[in-house]
Amino acid sequence: MERDVRGAEVIGATAGRPFDCAVVGGGILGLATAREMLLRKPGIRVAVLEKEATLARHQTGHNSGVIHTGVYYRPGSLKARLCVEGRAAMLRFCDAKRIPYALPGKLIVAVEERERAMLEELGARGRANGVEGIELLPAEAIREREPHASGIAALWVPGAGIVDYVAVAEAIAEEARGLGAEILLGREVRGIRCDGDGLTLETSQGPLSARRLVACAGLQCDRVASLSGPVDGLRIIPFRGDYYRLRPEARSLVRSMIYPVPDPRYPFLGVHFTPRIDGEVWAGPNAVLALAREGYGRADFALRDVAEMAAWPGLWRVLGHHWQTGLAELWRDWVKEVYARDLARYVPEIRPRDLLPGPSGIRAQAVARDGRFVEDFAIVAEGPAVHVMNAPSPAATSSFAIAREIVDRADRAWEGGRAHEGV
């Protein structure tokens, strides 16, 4: 075992050979990336470093389980292409691994006249992106799909599905291990330094040697990237989404997913109804500024997270432009009657008594210095490292396709000798 300059053992340097690649992040995207590398180049040494004691603890383990179709995203964007490709790959993987999923479809409902044009635009986007089976429904046809729903028009998207992404992540991890990946838990990356033609990663359990690095660090992606160089263009601003669960007697009010027409100013899709693979129905999430990147309760607070957000000019521009929407989201978050009222716009029979406390999740949303929400996936290759800098929803749906994109870019950057490639 080799040792670093302080005499500590350098993991991965056995017999003078470091890991070929270290993947930071044990969520669904990091695991899919490790798997993709090993499928392409059998025999290479790949380590997955996860700071938690278990895999899929954060974004992967705190989402509603929706398999998205690609209907929302701008044609030509990474999200549009990788969501469509990723959905197909996800279904193939689930079939091969016998992971249960369902395709109940999605109804995107317009309740105001001004939303009709956006609904038609979504339909056009979806068709341009290759989403199959989309139908624009008049008001009278809505109840044929959803007997308890109401609106003036709706977009029916039959390919939308649900799955347990933690189960998927565990299956990917099992396959990656079978291909030779070493998955190292409880190993937080605290420093990255160039060491000759490779890297040494300082971790919570000692240094680790690797020739290359791919970081899929989710809520911590900007911090991990800053360990290998300045990150000037964006910061992660966490948004918490709280869900309610419908009480068992109210679950029959919802057959498929029922979504609002999204506000084009925001990357969030609005509160909606999602049948779960376990038979529950979730309502939500909202989107409120979180005061802790990994805090899932309303009162959670992390001083470092708040201080870093406050120092980022982009946050203040977001607040300046959207403070009214932010206050409305907070009000709905704290007052169940307001939450129920918004849900009843789409399913009029919903009452506050139908809503039981549910889970919450944190969205790792990249915000630019000028206050712009970064809409598309963002992947940056810099020297021996590739960093995924923005991968919120639909990243779980798209994970296999994003992994292919990451490895494609890594191959071009590392084998072609290019120093920088980013989107």
Side-chain angles (χ1 to χ4, degrees):
M1 183 76 74
E2 291 184 2
R3 295 178 180 269
D4 72 356
V5 292
R6 297 188 306 275
E9 291 182 341
V10 180
I11 301 168
T14 305
R17 184 187 173 197
F19 286 104
D20 293 292
C21 187
V23 178
V24 179
I28 193 169
L29 184 52
L31 294 167
T33 299
R35 169 185 176 271
E36 179 69 20
M37 287 182 168
L38 288 160
L39 286 172
R40 293 196 193 187
K41 298 179 181 179
I44 65 172
R45 299 190 69 215
V46 175
V48 178
L49 282 66
E50 168 54 48
K51 70 183 181 68
E52 304 290 356
T54 57
L55 297 171
R57 277 285 298 276
H58 293 294
Q59 289 189 110
T60 303
H62 286 84
N63 67 59
S64 60
V66 173
I67 302 173
H68 289 280
T69 59
V71 72
Y72 295 106
Y73 314 115
R74 176 178 52 82
S77 66
L78 278 179
K79 278 190 176 182
R81 175 169 62 84
L82 299 182
C83 185
V84 173
E85 294 176 5
R87 174 188 174 277
M90 180 63 63
L91 297 185
R92 288 195 300 270
F93 184 82
C94 290
D95 286 337
K97 301 297 182 180
R98 298 185 179 180
I99 297 172
Y101 66 91
L103 300 175
K106 177 186 294 187
L107 200 66
I108 305 173
V109 181
V111 295
E112 298 178 11
E113 192 60 39
R114 63 181 178 84
E115 295 175 327
R116 195 186 296 271
M118 183 60 188
L119 200 66
E120 294 173 352
E121 182 182 337
L122 285 177
R125 280 189 176 192
R127 294 182 189 95
N129 293 339
V131 180
E132 298 179 351
I134 296 173
E135 294 181 58
L136 188 62
L137 305 179
E140 58 272 17
I142 291 176
R143 287 187 179 263
E144 295 176 13
R145 297 285 183 187
E146 283 288 348
H148 300 278
S150 178
I152 63 171
L155 199 68
W156 173 244
V157 188
I162 50 174
V163 73
D164 180 348
Y165 281 120
V166 174
V168 175
E170 290 171 349
I172 297 172
E174 182 180 2
E175 183 173 331
R177 286 191 186 99
L179 292 167
E182 296 184 39
I183 298 178
L184 308 176
L185 300 176
R187 202 172 291 269
E188 180 181 4
V189 176
R190 297 174 175 173
I192 301 171
R193 71 173 187 271
C194 289
D195 228 356
D197 61 352
L199 299 164
T200 295
L201 280 62
E202 301 294 342
T203 82
S204 54
Q205 294 190 36
L208 181 145
S209 176
R211 293 179 57 246
R212 299 288 185 262
L213 168 72
V214 173
C216 305
L219 287 158
Q220 307 295 337
C221 67
D222 54 341
R223 290 173 176 167
V224 171
S226 72
L227 298 176
S228 60
V231 180
D232 296 326
L234 56 82
R235 291 291 185 277
I236 292 299
I237 302 297
F239 287 86
R240 194 187 71 253
D242 295 312
Y243 291 92
Y244 283 100
R245 297 176 297 114
L246 295 193
R247 65 189 179 102
E249 296 82 359
R251 292 175 187 171
S252 61
L253 297 176
V254 177
R255 289 181 175 177
S256 59
M257 302 175 214
I258 303 174
Y259 275 63
V261 177
D263 188 327
R265 296 175 297 170
Y266 303 108
F268 317 110
L269 298 179
V271 293
H272 49 267
F273 296 91
T274 304
R276 295 271 296 171
I277 201 70
D278 60 5
E280 287 195 337
V281 177
W282 287 7
N286 55 354
V288 297
L289 186 66
L291 300 182
R293 291 198 188 196
E294 297 174 1
Y296 299 98
R298 288 185 175 94
D300 286 350
F301 177 90
L303 181 59
R304 178 190 179 190
D305 296 345
V306 172
E308 288 185 2
M309 283 194 292
W312 183 241
L315 172 65
W316 298 105
R317 292 186 172 100
V318 167
L319 295 177
H321 292 146
H322 306 297
W323 64 270
Q324 290 176 307
T325 301
L327 288 177
E329 289 285 330
L330 276 173
W331 180 244
R332 179 169 60 189
D333 189 46
W334 284 93
V335 182
K336 184 164 73 170
E337 289 74 15
V338 175
Y339 212 118
R341 183 190 65 198
D342 285 355
L343 291 168
R345 299 178 74 203
Y346 305 95
V347 180
E349 294 170 59
I350 288 290
R351 297 292 181 268
R353 66 176 180 272
D354 296 321
L355 304 182
L356 304 176
S360 62
I362 303 286
R363 178 188 178 103
Q365 178 61 53
V367 174
R369 182 177 290 275
D370 62 4
R372 175 177 47 86
F373 291 109
V374 178
E375 292 187 8
D376 210 354
F377 297 140
I379 304 166
V380 175
E382 189 78 51
V386 173
H387 293 276
V388 179
M389 299 301 295
N390 192 56
S393 179
T397 300
S398 313
S399 52
F400 292 114
I402 299 174
R404 288 197 297 269
E405 184 76 15
I406 290 168
V407 178
D408 284 346
R409 294 185 183 212
D411 286 346
R412 291 196 296 269
W414 298 339
E415 296 177 7
R418 280 200 269 176
H420 177 86
E421 178 179 1
V423 169

